[in-house]
């Protein structure tokens, strides 16, 4: 069964460093998403991506964040200068279409900023 | 803006007993509703979804949910739980305004006691 894969599963980084979280969406999906979940809090939407550009983004997704689909298979989330409050589980998801269709989620990357 | 509320953060239940996990949403527009399950160290897996039509929706693993528009609820039920149902359950909502992101509740930890 096709699945969304994320690497690494756990990343520890020092405050101020740049991190790149990687995702391989399901191959025939057109919409890609990043969500995050701070420990003990709800899963929050960060950004959606369609047709090689951002289609929606939340208030959380500020200038420190960027997304890219560098090679037609990977979908990356970059945090330019990490802060302690960026520590969270980051989930990548993809869907065939947009609204109303099932989003398939990856296993997540746990980011710890120290 | 939408919001999703899961009032119960933890629900312990004995094996083979019935369970109901509560979810309420607020939205000024028509919604799509989802229940996702997260097993330990895994991603979010779709249990079931409501898009339109019949208000009683059946999903995987014997779960079902009922959409109640007047009470703005989408409670998840299972008549007889198994040890393997122990997991975190998330209710999520999307709307029909064109946005394709999901709003999640804070999750309910279901623990099945042998």
């Amino acid at each position: 069964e096709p699945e969304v894969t994320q690497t690494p599963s756990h990343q520890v980084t020092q405050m101020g460093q740049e991190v790149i979280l990687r995702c391989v969406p399901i191959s025939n999906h057109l919409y890609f998403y990043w969500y995050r979940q701070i420990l003990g809090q709800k899963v929050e939407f960060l950004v959606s991506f369609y047709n090689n550009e951002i289609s929606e983004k939340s208030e959380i997704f500020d200038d420190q964040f960027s997304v890219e689909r560098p090679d037609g298979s990977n979908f990356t989330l970059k945090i330019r200068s990490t802060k302690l409050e960026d520590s969270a589980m980051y989930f990548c998801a993809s869907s065939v279409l947009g609204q109303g269709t099932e989003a398939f989620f990856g296993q997540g990357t746990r980011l710890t900023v120290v | 803006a939408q919001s999703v509320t899961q009032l119960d953060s933890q629900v312990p239940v004995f094996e083979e007993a019935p369970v109901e996990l509560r979810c309420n949403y607020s939205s000024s527009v028509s919604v799509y509703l989802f229940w996702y399950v997260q097993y330990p160290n895994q991603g979010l897996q779709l249990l079931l979804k409501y898009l339109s039509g019949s208000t009683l929706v059946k999903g995987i693993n014997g779960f079902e949910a009922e959409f109640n528009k007047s009470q703005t609820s989408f409670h998840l039920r299972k008549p007889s739980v198994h040890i393997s149902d122990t997991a975190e359950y998330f209710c999520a909502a999307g709307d029909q305004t064109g946005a394709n992101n999901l709003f999640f509740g804070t999750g309910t930890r279901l623990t099945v006691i042998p």
Side-chain angles (χ1 to χ4, degrees):
Chain A
E1 185 175 330
E3 60 180 14
V4 176
T5 57
Q6 291 185 243
T7 54
S9 56
H10 192 186
Q11 171 108 34
V12 181
T13 188
Q14 285 196 323
M15 191 169 54
Q17 295 296 304
E18 173 185 286
V19 294
I20 297 177
L21 309 183
R22 303 181 191 280
C23 169
V24 179
I26 295 173
S27 61
N28 64 333
H29 286 189
L30 301 178
Y31 285 81
F32 315 115
Y33 313 85
W34 283 101
Y35 289 80
R36 79 172 185 190
Q37 184 184 26
I38 295 172
L39 189 63
Q41 299 185 26
K42 62 176 64 179
V43 177
E44 301 172 291
F45 168 75
L46 293 179
V47 65
S48 61
F49 192 84
Y50 169 71
N51 199 26
N52 287 319
E53 60 182 24
I54 291 174
S55 57
E56 306 277 346
K57 62 180 181 178
S58 71
E59 293 176 353
I60 302 167
F61 195 86
D62 60 22
D63 291 344
Q64 292 286 81
F65 293 89
S66 62
V67 289
E68 198 177 31
R69 190 156 161 78
D71 57 13
S73 61
N74 289 286
F75 179 53
T76 62
L77 174 70
K78 182 191 291 186
I79 308 175
R80 191 177 324 162
S81 178
T82 50
K83 303 186 283 284
L84 294 176
E85 54 265 37
D86 293 326
S87 294
M89 180 73 88
Y90 288 81
F91 291 106
C92 174
S94 68
S95 62
V96 175
L97 298 173
Q99 57 175 273
T101 58
E102 176 184 354
F104 290 79
F105 284 78
Q107 294 183 331
T109 293
R110 179 162 294 287
L111 176 65
T112 303
V113 182
V114 296
Chain B
Q2 290 207 43
S3 69
V4 175
T5 303
Q6 292 181 249
L7 288 172
D8 306 306
S9 59
Q10 296 188 55
V11 173
V13 63
F14 286 103
E15 192 174 14
E16 298 183 4
V19 70
E20 178 180 84
L21 306 183
R22 296 182 292 169
C23 172
N24 289 87
Y25 68 92
S26 66
S27 174
S28 58
V29 299
S30 297
V31 296
Y32 304 119
L33 294 161
F34 305 82
W35 275 98
Y36 283 86
V37 61
Q38 184 181 29
Y39 298 105
N41 301 314
Q42 295 189 28
L44 300 170
Q45 179 184 1
L46 183 70
L47 271 179
L48 48 78
K49 62 184 177 184
Y50 170 79
L51 303 181
S52 65
S54 174
T55 57
L56 183 62
V57 180
K58 293 189 184 299
I60 63 172
N61 301 339
F63 283 93
E64 64 180 32
E66 185 158 18
F67 171 63
N68 188 319
K69 188 174 182 179
S70 63
Q71 296 187 9
T72 60
S73 67
F74 190 56
H75 300 331
L76 180 71
R77 302 185 184 99
K78 186 169 182 177
S80 175
V81 295
H82 190 265
I83 295 290
S84 60
D85 293 323
T86 294
E88 189 89 17
Y89 292 79
F90 293 94
C91 182
D95 65 37
Q96 299 182 17
T97 61
N100 50 25
N101 51 297
L102 297 177
F103 294 88
F104 281 82
T106 49
T108 297
R109 175 75 180 167
L110 173 64
T111 302
V112 180
I113 305 164

